[in-house]
Amino acid sequence: MAHPGTARSAAFFDLDKTILARSSTLAFSRPFYAGGLINRRTVLRSAYAQFVYLLGGADHDQMERMREYISAMCTGWDVATVQGIVADTLDHIVRPMIHAEAVELIDRHHAAGRDVVIVSSSGAEVVEPIGAILGADKVIATRMVVADGKYTGEIAEYAYGPGKVTAMAALAAVEGYDLASSYGYSDSITDEPMLAAVGHPHAVNPDKALRRIAIERGWPVLEFTEPGERVGRVRRPAVAAGLVAAVAAGALLLAYRRRFRTA
């Protein structure tokens, strides 16, 4: 617990299309296919979802249908199987997706004495090992329920939209972060609450809605264009037994967005 008078700033980063050039969840479709967890049709649908995601042309309902389909495929997957597949492919899949500009920005925040916190709606089991690669100090992510070694599809903690702000405030209270002097980075209009919660918000490769708000509010707009370049400087984590990289969790989480948004 932080003590009075020890408030400090932190840097809060969204993950997909902010630090990474693609969706961390959908990027693992081919390794899952190779491991026998999904079929070829699912791989093709994931590839299509990546395409529309990168173009920024998919509407909410379209992405929801895609995520619900993927989530249905993931429900009941064995955690140990997913763990083994992702542990074997994590570095190969993730490292080429990392924006070099994000790495440099993380380095600058660390040099300034700030903790770096990744805030993602994807499952903690995939976000945490990516955070280890990046040298992040803390991770905020969605926590999924596991029963008998399998994913149930239920959510224990959901880090999406306003839920990110709630988690950020809770972490700030524990770690002594002053949100008013902290920094935030995201690409999506869904993270407007997260950006508005800090004193120094930044729009990174923003979608149209977030770009419009950033311009209206005078938020800096950053363009990251170099995935896979100079990422040798990123830390390479040891692959330990505790590395439960469940991309399935990220897919399962996102299917519940509508339910939590309207709750």
Side-chain angles (χ1 to χ4, degrees):
M1 180 71 67
H3 298 288
T6 61
R8 53 202 174 98
S9 62
F12 296 90
F13 285 81
D14 176 49
L15 185 60
D16 295 345
K17 293 188 73 177
T18 302
I19 292 177
L20 303 182
R22 301 167 59 196
S23 163
S24 56
T25 296
L26 296 177
F28 283 86
S29 59
R30 290 188 181 278
F32 283 172
Y33 170 70
L37 292 178
I38 59 178
N39 58 30
R40 187 170 182 271
R41 181 185 179 191
T42 303
V43 174
L44 293 175
R45 294 192 67 160
S46 296
Y48 172 74
Q50 281 282 7
F51 176 70
V52 295
Y53 181 75
L54 288 170
L55 289 181
D59 61 26
H60 173 74
D61 289 341
Q62 185 178 14
M63 290 305 293
E64 281 298 307
R65 288 193 298 271
M66 183 64 66
R67 286 162 178 160
E68 288 169 3
Y69 176 83
I70 295 173
S71 297
M73 296 297 98
C74 296
T75 302
W77 280 5
D78 180 74
V79 174
T81 300
V82 175
Q83 173 185 346
I85 292 172
V86 180
D88 288 342
T89 60
L90 178 69
D91 191 68
H92 171 71
I93 292 293
V94 171
R95 193 175 297 275
M97 294 166 53
I98 299 171
H99 282 298
E101 298 93 337
V103 174
E104 294 173 353
L105 192 53
I106 288 170
D107 286 348
R108 289 203 297 272
H109 280 299
H110 277 149
R114 299 185 190 96
D115 279 2
V116 170
V117 184
I118 295 178
V119 187
S120 175
S121 60
S122 291
E125 296 87 349
V126 64
V127 180
E128 287 176 352
I130 292 176
I133 288 177
L134 294 163
D137 300 283
K138 304 289 180 181
V139 163
I140 291 172
T142 301
R143 307 282 169 174
M144 296 298 295
V145 176
V146 175
D148 298 324
K150 299 181 185 300
Y151 299 106
T152 68
E154 298 177 81
I155 301 173
E157 299 175 24
Y158 191 56
Y160 174 77
K164 287 189 176 183
V165 179
T166 300
M168 288 164 59
L171 181 63
V174 172
E175 296 295 329
Y177 301 145
D178 175 24
L179 293 181
S181 61
S182 292
Y183 294 71
Y185 302 88
S186 181
D187 70 290
S188 174
I189 187 60
T190 62
D191 282 337
E192 183 276 337
M194 166 187 162
L195 295 178
V198 299
H200 302 282
H202 295 71
V204 178
N205 296 345
D207 57 30
K208 291 180 180 179
L210 181 59
R211 185 179 295 274
R212 182 171 58 252
I213 287 178
I215 292 172
E216 291 174 354
R217 300 181 186 178
W219 294 353
V221 176
L222 307 179
E223 302 292 343
F224 291 173
T225 60
E226 297 186 40
E229 301 293 334
R230 303 194 302 276
V231 295
R233 296 165 53 219
V234 180
R235 302 177 192 179
R236 181 187 184 100
V239 178
L243 180 62
V244 185
V247 177
L252 286 165
L253 302 172
L254 295 169
Y256 290 84
R257 175 175 294 179
R258 186 178 295 110
R259 175 165 64 88
F260 276 75
R261 181 178 286 170
T262 58

